[in-house]
Amino acid sequence: MSPSSVPELGQLRLGALKVHPSLLPKYRGPTPIQTAIMDDAPSTGVSVIEFYHTGEHGNILAQYPYALDSQSTLMGVQAALALLGGNLLLKVLGNLEHVRKHSVRQDRAQATYTEQACIENTRIVWESMTAAEIYKRHRAYCGTAHMSAVWRRKHIMHTVLLLDMYLPDPDTPVLSEHYDDRPPGTVFFRRKSKYLEIPCIDGSRIHVTKLRVIGRTEKDAQGFVNGYLRVNGALRMLTAPVKPKVPTPPFVYPPGHPKEGVVHTYVNQDFAF
């Protein structure tokens, strides 16, 4: 509910309350859970506040903390805070007069703000993102958006959504002897494997278990391999589209990277490597 949708709050006998999924004044705005996950915050929480025309600026009536960890996801935290927030609101309503007498004014100096989510939040930039960064974004936005990359097949550009993924145990063997010879974004597979393996800029990797090419049906890793892949390590996902009939440019490592200046000469235009 936005302030503009309640133009006559002053006419409400008991006023209005708002439940916000953060420990205000931290993480005001539209994406408090996503931002907390992206910040690696150890915890967040839920707040019940007086609702004025200024959004999340009202006095705090009650708060309850919620711990976050390296596996916390937007949907999981959202569900937990919805339950906590509902229970907290009922307690506040059950003792509203007393709670209001002991309400706390928010400290402006401690306020932080979140921004509206946009498509750039979930676009994978293979030239800079580590596996940990990609997975963290996946946890922060999955449920409302999915991490995406570009796939070139012949001269047609496709957007691929990475629907589900995880970080493998570092001791898990790689899927190809050519792993170190291919740039970030390269897709490795085995016919009976339940995941695709994709290296990232720092040498780490993500394992992807579900994907969907925009305009086509969702597939698990084996279905994606059977439907689209022929040669292990021949497909490279891109950060941005390439114009038709223009050769796919080689991967460029950032300045200071151990592989700066390395050019991968293997070319398979059909799979944009």
Side-chain angles (χ1 to χ4, degrees):
M1 179 173 63
S2 65
S4 60
S5 67
V6 193
E8 299 179 347
L9 286 176
Q11 297 182 12
L12 299 177
R13 184 172 63 86
L14 296 178
L17 307 181
K18 180 175 183 178
V19 179
H20 185 76
S22 79
L23 296 178
L24 293 168
K26 196 167 187 179
Y27 298 132
R28 292 175 175 174
T31 55
I33 299 174
Q34 297 94 318
T35 306
I37 292 175
M38 289 301 299
D39 285 351
D40 293 318
S43 64
T44 184
V46 64
S47 302
V48 178
I49 63 172
E50 299 276 9
F51 182 59
Y52 307 130
H53 284 277
T54 50
E56 294 93 33
H57 294 69
N59 286 359
I60 298 171
L61 301 178
Q63 292 184 314
Y64 200 91
Y66 180 81
L68 300 176
D69 58 35
S70 62
Q71 299 301 313
S72 295
T73 65
L74 169 62
M75 299 306 290
V77 176
Q78 199 171 60
L81 293 187
L83 181 60
L84 289 174
N87 291 335
L88 193 61
L89 179 61
L90 289 175
K91 292 180 179 180
V92 168
L93 291 174
N95 200 11
L96 186 58
E97 183 177 353
H98 174 79
V99 170
R100 276 181 163 157
K101 286 181 179 179
H102 295 84
S103 65
V104 177
R105 180 175 296 179
Q106 293 190 44
D107 184 353
R108 279 188 174 185
Q110 299 299 317
T112 61
Y113 298 86
T114 65
E115 299 180 355
Q116 190 70 42
C118 66
I119 194 170
E120 292 302 308
N121 296 135
T122 52
R123 183 172 68 92
I124 298 177
V125 181
W126 299 106
E127 291 78 8
S128 63
M129 289 186 181
T130 65
E133 172 74 8
I134 294 171
Y135 182 59
K136 182 164 65 174
R137 288 172 180 261
H138 167 73
R139 293 189 294 109
Y141 295 101
C142 186
T144 59
H146 296 286
M147 300 304 295
S148 67
V150 176
W151 168 35
R152 181 177 189 175
R153 193 176 192 190
K154 297 187 183 298
H155 293 298
I156 300 175
M157 307 303 298
H158 301 275
T159 297
V160 183
L161 302 180
L162 281 56
L163 305 180
D164 202 5
M165 67 177 72
Y166 63 93
L167 297 179
D169 187 311
D171 295 329
T172 302
V174 297
L175 291 185
S176 172
E177 60 183 5
H178 299 296
Y179 180 88
D180 292 329
D181 301 328
R182 301 288 192 263
T186 302
V187 178
F188 294 102
F189 65 90
R190 284 181 183 161
R191 288 293 172 183
K192 295 185 179 181
S193 176
K194 294 183 179 181
Y195 58 85
L196 305 178
E197 184 168 76
I198 308 178
C200 300
I201 193 64
D202 63 342
S204 59
R205 51 199 162 133
I206 55 173
H207 282 178
V208 180
T209 56
K210 292 182 181 179
L211 311 88
R212 181 166 68 86
V213 178
I214 292 293
R216 303 183 186 181
T217 58
E218 174 184 324
K219 294 183 180 294
D220 60 16
Q222 293 184 35
F224 191 84
V225 169
N226 294 335
Y228 303 119
L229 304 183
R230 297 194 299 273
V231 181
N232 193 16
L235 166 63
R236 181 183 126 215
M237 292 191 180
L238 309 175
T239 297
V242 178
K243 293 181 179 180
K245 298 184 179 180
V246 174
T248 302
F251 187 89
V252 178
Y253 290 94
H257 192 278
K259 291 186 177 181
E260 180 183 2
V262 172
V263 177
H264 299 276
T265 56
Y266 179 79
V267 175
N268 185 333
Q269 193 63 35
D270 184 37
F271 288 102
F273 187 84

